């Protein structure tokens, strides 16, 4: 695989001929993975996961054990991370909110690097539906060059329905996105490179070549830890968010709960293969020793915990995702940070690492101190928003949720890592709730399409 990817670099430049200016400023490889939850091997949330290349990246730098999305939905999560503005500032809360109408052209992370002298290129899904402001990029791969899901793949293949066909690795769009990105890594430039690689899988449909399913025999699949009565102590707003009569009821009726998990694990394994190809391409490129890498999943995913499926909720499973940093001269190989952190830190952290200005509109805080020393002090919680005035605050021990109607949930992760017991109504929880409530926004932008 390494030799094959090296062919992509032939004729595209070499380390000796690269301009001196390129070696003086770090490049950035920015890897976004759609719908990748905490089911990667090194995080240990699901013992069945097999992601050797994600784990390989984690061993190269610092992995965050408790990293959380700003919003548990593709469109607003990416808009928040890429613009540096929270949904309660922009009003971009849901997938149905057109992100371009809620943000300002020129606020994007890519544009800040472009203005600072970087050659800024992107491919795949960085913003929702592969849309973007053209002015914020030097170049973007044409999505017409590939098919996202491959031939004859239907929306529910590998999720509700079994697949009746097979695929090859190169049938899926991510294969071609990685090839294009490796080519960019190998091209000569007189500027440092900011390369955004947006991988679409494991987004639905969970349909990948059959060899990845064979890695996870159906008879060995384990259901995630769950309780049938887990919604009994939730307020009505929480039950509505769980939607137990939707996907969960259908899976109980069809008997395909384990099949869906098998399909997701297989799709994650396919994505892990492509991440490996990308890392191999970087290793063969002239930028191998001078590139900052950050990998993130845009949000988590539920598979029946709290009778809930997909994202679109404020509990641990739909909000937690991988976050890995490799920053030469800053991070130490194989380190872990256990401080809760959210993805609003990515924009300012990248700016500080390369020495460019952090724009005044950016609401997150740089986490460079945690990259230097993962045990250093960090007092900011991870905050996730889903819909208008629904927020979760995650600290090291607790998760606090407040819904728009004022109802609450509180979980103690020291004793209850799967959030089975809502402590919000207990008198002894009042001091904890008051402390966590202080981190909630004081003003929520009016929603456009919230229901």
């Amino acid at each position: 695989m390494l030799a094959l990817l090296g062919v992509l670099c032939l004729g595209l430049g070499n380390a000796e001929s690269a301009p001196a200016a390129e070696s003086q400023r770090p490049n950035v490889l920015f890897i976004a993975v759609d719908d990748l939850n905490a089911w990667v091997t090194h995080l240990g949330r699901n013992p069945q996961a097999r992601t050797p290349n994600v784990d390989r990246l984690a061993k190269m730098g610092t992995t965050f054990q408790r990293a959380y999305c700003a919003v548990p939905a593709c469109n607003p999560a990416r808009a928040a991370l890429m613009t540096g503005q929270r949904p309660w500032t922009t009003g971009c809360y849901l997938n149905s909110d057109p992100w371009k109408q809620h943000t300002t052209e020129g606020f994007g992370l890519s544009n800040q690097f472009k203005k600072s002298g970087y050659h800024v290129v992107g491919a795949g899904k960085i913003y929702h539906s592969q849309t973007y402001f053209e002015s914020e990029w030097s170049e973007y791969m044409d999505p017409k060059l590939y098919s996202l899901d491959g031939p004859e793949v239907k929306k529910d293949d590998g999720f509700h329905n079994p697949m009746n066909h097979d695929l090859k690795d190169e049938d899926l769009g991510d294969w071609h996105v990685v090839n294009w990105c490796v080519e960019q890594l190998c091209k000569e430039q007189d500027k440092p490179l900011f390369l955004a690689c947006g991988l679409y899988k494991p987004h639905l449909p969970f349909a990948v070549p059959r060899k990845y399913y064979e890695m996870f025999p159906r008879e060995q699949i384990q259901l995630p830890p769950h309780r049938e009565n887990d919604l009994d102590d939730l307020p009505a707003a929480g039950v509505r968010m769980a939607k137990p009569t939707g996907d969960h009821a259908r899976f109980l009726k069809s008997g395909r709960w384990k099949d869906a998990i098998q399909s997701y694990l297989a799709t994650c394994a396919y994505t892990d293969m492509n991440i490996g190809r990308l890392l191999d391409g970087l290793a063969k490129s002239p930028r191998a020793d001078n590139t900052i890498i950050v990998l993130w999943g845009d949000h988590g995913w539920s598979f029946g915990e709290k009778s809930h499926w997909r994202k679109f909720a404020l509990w641990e499973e739909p909000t937690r995702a991988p976050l890995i940093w490799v920053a030469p001269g800053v991070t130490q190989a194989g380190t872990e940070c256990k401080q809760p952190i959210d993805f609003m830190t990515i924009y300012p952290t990248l700016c500080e690492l390369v020495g460019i200005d952090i724009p005044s509109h950016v609401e997150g805080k740089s986490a460079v101190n945690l990259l230097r020393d993962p045990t250093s002090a960090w007092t900011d919680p991870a905050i996730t928003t889903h819909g208008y005035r629904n927020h979760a605050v995650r600290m090291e021990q607790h998760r606090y949720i407040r819904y728009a109607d004022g109802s609450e949930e509180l979980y103690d992760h020291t004793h209850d890592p799967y959030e089975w017991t809502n402590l919000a109504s207990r008198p002894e929880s009042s001091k904890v709730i008051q402390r966590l409530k202080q981190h909630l926004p004081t003003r929520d932008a009016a929603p456009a399409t919230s229901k």
Side-chain angles (χ1 to χ4, degrees):
M1 182 71 73
L2 191 61
L4 177 63
L5 286 167
V7 174
L8 293 173
C9 290
L10 292 178
L12 294 176
N14 56 60
E16 280 112 22
S17 61
E22 182 175 338
S23 63
Q24 294 171 359
R25 301 186 71 181
N27 306 290
V28 174
L29 177 56
F30 182 84
I31 309 171
V33 189
D34 208 356
D35 286 11
L36 180 63
N37 68 5
W39 289 9
V40 292
T41 309
H42 74 273
L43 291 182
R45 194 63 167 180
N46 187 315
Q48 304 162 98
R50 294 174 63 180
T51 55
N53 291 298
V54 174
D55 305 328
R56 162 187 164 195
L57 179 62
K59 291 176 182 177
M60 293 166 58
T62 300
T63 186
F64 283 80
Q65 291 282 338
R66 300 185 180 106
Y68 301 90
C69 61
V71 191
C74 298
N75 175 40
R78 292 164 182 271
L81 188 155
M82 291 298 295
T83 67
Q85 292 187 299
R86 296 274 188 182
W88 62 69
T89 296
T90 65
C92 187
Y93 294 107
L94 304 174
N95 274 347
S96 54
D97 295 331
W99 71 268
K100 283 188 175 182
Q101 297 179 22
H102 293 266
T103 60
T104 302
E105 185 170 359
F107 276 16
L109 172 63
S110 59
N111 195 58
Q112 187 64 9
F113 273 77
K114 185 181 177 183
K115 291 193 305 180
S116 302
Y118 275 73
H119 182 66
V120 177
V121 297
K125 187 175 180 181
I126 299 300
Y127 287 95
H128 194 51
S129 300
Q130 302 183 92
T131 56
Y132 54 92
F133 287 120
E134 291 186 9
S135 66
E136 296 188 352
W137 301 85
S138 307
E139 184 180 358
Y140 210 96
M141 182 185 183
D142 186 351
K144 296 178 182 177
L145 296 176
Y146 56 89
S147 168
L148 280 177
D149 295 315
E152 301 180 6
V153 173
K154 299 177 182 179
K155 181 178 180 181
D156 285 338
D157 283 350
F159 187 53
H160 293 305
N161 302 318
M163 292 194 304
N164 295 316
H165 56 275
D166 200 4
L167 297 166
K168 301 185 293 294
D169 286 342
E170 58 269 29
D171 285 335
L172 302 180
D174 286 348
W175 177 273
H176 303 282
V177 167
V178 168
N179 281 355
W180 191 89
C181 288
V182 170
E183 291 176 359
Q184 304 307 307
L185 288 167
C186 297
K187 284 183 178 179
E188 286 188 33
Q189 290 288 344
D190 58 359
K191 298 179 178 180
L193 178 69
F194 178 99
L195 172 60
C197 178
L199 299 178
Y200 181 67
K201 296 299 179 184
H203 193 284
L204 284 170
F206 302 150
V208 293
R210 203 168 300 279
K211 61 185 176 182
Y212 298 99
Y213 290 79
E214 293 171 354
M215 294 169 59
F216 307 95
R218 204 269 185 193
E219 63 274 12
Q220 297 178 17
I221 293 297
Q222 306 169 33
L223 297 179
H226 65 282
R227 288 183 175 178
E228 293 182 4
N229 64 346
D230 199 12
L231 301 181
D232 289 357
D233 60 356
L234 265 60
V239 176
R240 287 194 297 270
M241 198 167 277
K243 297 182 178 178
T245 59
D247 286 324
H248 194 61
R250 286 195 292 272
F251 275 106
L252 291 178
K253 182 177 180 180
S254 69
R256 286 184 48 77
W257 193 347
K258 289 187 176 182
D259 298 86
I261 292 172
Q262 178 197 36
S263 297
Y264 184 77
L265 293 170
T267 309
C268 289
Y270 174 81
T271 293
D272 183 79
M273 175 274 298
N274 276 315
I275 291 170
R277 295 176 63 237
L278 185 61
L279 296 179
D280 289 345
L282 174 62
K284 291 290 289 185
S285 80
R287 296 180 170 85
D289 298 326
N290 189 31
T291 296
I292 295 165
I293 308 171
V294 57
L295 178 146
W296 50 277
D298 58 352
H299 45 66
W301 232 86
S302 293
F303 282 88
E305 304 94 342
K306 279 190 161 44
S307 302
H308 177 70
W309 287 72
R310 310 188 194 227
K311 43 264 190 175
F312 312 131
L314 291 170
W315 302 298
E316 185 80 357
E317 308 310 321
T319 62
R320 185 182 176 201
L323 176 62
I324 302 171
W325 285 92
V326 179
V330 178
T331 56
Q332 299 296 316
T335 53
E336 298 179 351
C337 182
K338 296 182 179 180
Q339 299 280 14
I341 196 170
D342 64 42
F343 295 154
M344 300 305 291
T345 58
I346 292 175
Y347 193 142
T349 300
L350 276 173
C351 289
E352 183 176 348
L353 283 173
V354 304
I356 65 177
D357 292 337
I358 301 172
S360 60
H361 71 265
V362 170
E363 297 176 326
K365 177 181 175 181
S366 171
V368 168
N369 64 313
L370 292 178
L371 299 186
R372 292 196 177 100
D373 177 6
T375 65
S376 61
W378 182 263
T379 59
D380 294 67
I383 303 178
T384 304
T385 301
H386 179 50
Y388 179 56
R389 298 183 64 205
N390 299 310
H391 307 287
V393 178
R394 180 69 160 90
M395 299 291 277
E396 186 171 358
Q397 183 174 354
H398 295 97
R399 172 182 295 277
Y400 169 68
I401 298 173
R402 190 184 70 182
Y403 296 100
D405 63 2
S407 58
E408 299 171 312
E409 296 173 35
L410 179 69
Y411 301 99
D412 182 345
H413 275 256
T414 301
H415 304 100
D416 182 19
Y418 286 95
E419 301 180 338
W420 287 334
T421 304
N422 178 15
L423 304 174
S425 63
R426 300 186 181 184
E428 62 268 26
S429 299
S430 60
K431 289 185 179 180
V432 174
I433 290 175
Q434 288 302 315
R435 176 167 55 88
L436 297 179
K437 283 175 68 172
Q438 295 177 10
H439 296 285
L440 295 173
T442 57
R443 179 184 177 276
D444 297 83
T449 58
S450 298
K451 297 181 179 179

